[in-house]
């Protein structure tokens, strides 16, 4: 960003303004918009104009009955006024993404002004990464800025394909994207050890690639959440009615064997909070994770598991956390996730570098007001996971290639 002279130039900027809205289309969480403000303000403060592109929801998956796009629900115009208030600058809205009006409004834009284009996903060409649509989008601005880390793993027109229409010196990451890449780099390149990965959530199948990758990166892997029971069962434990992916049992054994071979320590929850139904109002008891009675299911890690996990976390110098330790949406099964959040914050205070990524763990850290007590909270769940998995993200490659 800072190497580019924005004076008198129009920056066309991909942001992730995919914010949640209530029924009256009020924004219920404006974090994603606030996070893009430094990049937008930088361009304005340096004599440039900004043309914003974003998607909002999945309009093509929820068409009106007659097959048309539900503009009322998905228009980015819902965000124009809130963005104006946040920036302290009036934001103009263009009712199309590309076309004659978009070209005219962009051409008329003066330094210091902001124009927001209509939802990029109103066009089917966006998700297809259509070249012609990308070229039209690119023609609206002179400098391409990508600050949408949350969609960097998608090779869509506005997130990736349009970058090729700008010379290398006129395309850049925004500040948010820069810091995501920098912080992922801190854990991927020469991390301090002991390095601990904490994983949780519902499914082993979603995290296989990540777990395999961790085997080459980390010293310790803590496995909590529903996915832990597939491992406990694979080792011969009785897990009652806990979540188990039967077809992943052989894989769990294989992962445990590979970990042993590579000297990576795997920590599974010694005990669990088991409930007699999937309900916050269920009866629950603390039991060993490998002797959960039939009819009961592990919905959170137990007290002993918390203590064991805490010890590993507090002895770590680098920590990645992705996925909750239990069904943290239900208050009776949130204690494990909360305790781990506190432990990660404590380790950070003691000098560890901690990166929290993935929707649910980020939500847990935010709920507890601990977001500023960990080193970095990633805004891109899927994108951060793919980066940690060692994949090259198309949105990053397009800017740097
Ligand atoms: P994921 O999207 O795979 O990260 O999974 C997140 C979801 O896993 C959350 O909605 C949690 O409620 C759920 N989860 C965590 N632990 C358990 C568990 N022990 N049993 C069932 N679901 C769980």
């Amino acid at each position: 960003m800072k190497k580019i002279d924005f004076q008198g130039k129009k920056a066309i900027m991909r942001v992730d303004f995919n914010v949640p809205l209530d029924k009256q289309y009020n924004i219920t969480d404006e974090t994603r918009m606030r996070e893009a403000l430094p990049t937008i303000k930088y361009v304005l403060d340096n004599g440039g104009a900004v043309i914003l592109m974003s998607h909002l929801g999945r309009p093509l998956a929820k068409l009106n009955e007659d097959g048309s796009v539900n503009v009322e629900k998905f228009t980015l115009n819902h965000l124009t006024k809130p963005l104006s208030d946040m920036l302290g600058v009036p934001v103009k809205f263009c009712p199309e993404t590309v076309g004659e009006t978009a070209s005219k409004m962009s051409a008329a834009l003066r330094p210091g002004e902001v124009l927001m284009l209509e939802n990029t996903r109103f066009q089917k060409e966006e998700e297809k990464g259509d070249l012609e649509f990308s070229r039209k989008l690119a023609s609206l601005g002179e400098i391409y800025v990508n600050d949408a880390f949350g969609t960097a793993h998608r090779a869509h027109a506005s997130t990736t394909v349009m970058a090729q229409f700008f010379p290398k010196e006129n395309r850049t990451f925004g500040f948010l994207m820069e810091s995501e890449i920098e912080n992922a780099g801190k854990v991927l390149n020469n991390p301090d050890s002991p390095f601990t990965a904490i994983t949780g959530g519902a499914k082993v199948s979603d995290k296989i690639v990540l777990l395999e990758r961790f085997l080459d990166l980390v010293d310790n892997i803590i496995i909590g959440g529903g996915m832990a029971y597939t491992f406990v069962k694979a080792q011969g434990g009785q897990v009652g009615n806990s979540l188990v992916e039967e077809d992943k049992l052989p894989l769990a054994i294989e992962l445990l064997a590979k970990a042993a071979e590579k000297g990576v320590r795997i920590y599974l929850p010694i005990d669990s909070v088991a409930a007699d139904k999937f309900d916050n109002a269920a009866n629950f008891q603390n039991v060993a994770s490998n002797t959960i009675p039939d009819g009961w299911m592990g919905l959170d890690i137990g007290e002993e598991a918390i203590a064991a996990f805490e010890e590993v976390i507090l002895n770590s110098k680098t920590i990645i956390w992705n996925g909750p330790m239990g069904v943290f949406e239900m208050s009776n099964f949130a204690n494990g996730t909360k305790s781990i959040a506190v432990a990660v914050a404590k380790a950070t205070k003691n000098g560890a570098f901690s990166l929290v990524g993935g929707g649910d763990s980020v939500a847990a850290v935010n709920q507890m007001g601990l977001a500023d007590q960990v080193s970095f909270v990633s805004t891109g769940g899927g994108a951060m996971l793919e980066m940690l998995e060692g994949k090259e993200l198309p949105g990053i490659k397009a800017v740097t290639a």
Side-chain angles (χ1 to χ4, degrees):
M1 274 297 281
K2 295 206 166 151
K3 285 191 194 138
I4 293 183
D5 180 9
F6 287 99
Q7 187 66 44
K9 297 273 169 53
K10 293 185 182 91
I12 181 150
M13 187 184 297
R14 180 54 156 99
V15 287
D16 181 2
F17 280 2
N18 185 27
V19 288
L21 300 173
D22 66 15
K23 289 209 169 67
Q24 284 75 45
Y25 307 120
N26 297 308
I27 303 167
T28 54
D29 180 354
E30 52 190 35
T31 313
R32 285 181 169 160
M33 292 174 72
R34 293 213 171 271
E35 274 166 334
L37 297 182
T39 309
I40 300 172
K41 282 188 177 149
Y42 182 85
V43 175
L44 300 178
D45 291 348
N46 285 278
V50 174
I51 303 163
L52 293 169
M53 306 172 282
S54 178
H55 72 287
L56 177 65
R58 304 185 58 210
L60 296 184
K62 291 171 188 156
L63 294 171
N64 291 322
E65 275 175 19
D66 64 0
S68 60
V69 168
N70 187 339
V71 176
E72 191 199 327
K73 180 161 185 205
F74 292 106
T75 179
L76 267 181
N77 202 13
H78 296 311
L79 313 186
T80 310
K81 168 87 173 51
L83 180 63
S84 299
D85 294 344
M86 283 180 218
L87 282 171
V89 171
V91 174
K92 297 178 200 277
F93 179 72
C94 173
E96 61 183 15
T97 320
V98 295
E100 232 173 83
T101 308
S103 300
K104 272 193 196 142
M105 289 185 83
S106 315
L109 209 61
R110 316 291 315 151
E113 291 184 339
V114 181
L115 173 69
M116 183 143 63
L117 301 175
E118 184 56 286
N119 195 336
T120 53
R121 289 199 189 160
F122 279 7
Q123 283 354 98
K124 63 180 181 322
E125 292 86 351
E126 161 73 342
E127 291 185 60
K128 287 189 177 145
D130 181 82
L131 202 62
E132 190 50 27
F133 174 67
S134 303
R135 196 187 57 72
K136 285 185 190 153
L137 267 178
S139 73
L140 302 177
E142 297 157 280
I143 297 167
Y144 174 68
V145 181
N146 189 351
D147 211 17
F149 182 71
T151 49
H153 56 320
R154 310 268 183 231
H156 296 170
S158 66
T159 65
T160 300
V161 184
M162 65 182 285
Q164 66 190 278
F165 295 104
F166 298 83
K168 193 165 181 187
E169 64 278 12
N170 282 353
R171 50 183 202 237
T172 179
F173 302 126
F175 295 125
L176 175 63
M177 186 101 157
E178 259 175 21
S179 80
E180 293 274 1
I181 295 169
E182 192 187 311
N183 282 288
K186 282 187 192 160
V187 297
L188 292 172
N189 311 316
N190 302 319
D192 288 337
S193 53
F195 184 172
T196 299
I198 311 165
T199 59
K203 286 198 190 152
V204 181
S205 44
D206 291 345
K207 309 262 161 87
I208 292 169
V209 185
L210 189 66
L211 284 169
E212 292 205 319
R213 168 98 167 128
F214 282 158
L215 290 178
D216 291 321
L217 277 178
V218 308
D219 304 294
N220 309 304
I221 303 179
I222 290 175
I223 302 179
M227 62 187 280
Y229 301 102
T230 300
F231 287 89
V232 174
K233 183 161 184 185
Q235 289 178 315
Q238 288 172 23
V239 297
N241 291 30
S242 305
L243 201 65
V244 167
E245 284 171 89
E246 294 288 341
D247 60 329
K248 295 291 173 298
L249 292 171
L251 186 92
I253 293 174
E254 204 183 297
L255 279 168
L256 292 169
K258 273 193 201 163
E261 218 174 86
K262 295 184 185 228
V264 176
R265 286 208 196 94
I266 304 251
Y267 294 87
L268 292 166
I270 307 162
D271 59 346
S272 293
V273 179
D276 60 356
K277 54 183 175 198
F278 191 80
D279 191 333
N280 196 40
N283 297 307
F284 56 88
Q285 56 175 329
N286 209 91
V287 293
S289 298
N290 59 3
T291 53
I292 299 178
D294 281 345
W296 294 74
M297 60 191 91
L299 294 187
D300 196 7
I301 56 174
E303 292 296 336
E304 273 188 73
I306 290 173
F309 290 0
E310 271 172 357
E311 196 185 329
V312 178
I313 292 167
L314 291 176
N315 281 319
S316 302
K317 286 274 172 288
T318 308
I319 300 163
I320 299 181
W321 180 18
N322 175 275
M325 295 290 103
V327 185
F328 78 109
E329 300 93 331
M330 299 182 191
S331 60
N332 285 334
F333 310 108
N335 188 41
T337 304
K338 285 185 180 168
S339 306
I340 294 312
V342 170
V344 172
K346 222 189 230 177
T348 311
K349 202 171 169 204
N350 294 343
F353 178 82
S354 57
L355 186 151
V356 183
D360 287 317
S361 13
V362 171
V365 167
N366 282 336
Q367 263 172 34
M368 299 185 61
L370 292 173
D372 58 353
Q373 292 179 47
V374 297
S375 310
F376 190 68
V377 178
S378 174
T379 54
M384 181 52 84
L385 277 190
E386 289 199 15
M387 213 157 159
L388 296 176
E389 284 168 7
K391 291 185 187 145
E392 192 171 46
L393 306 193
I396 295 181
K397 194 176 166 200
V399 168
T400 52

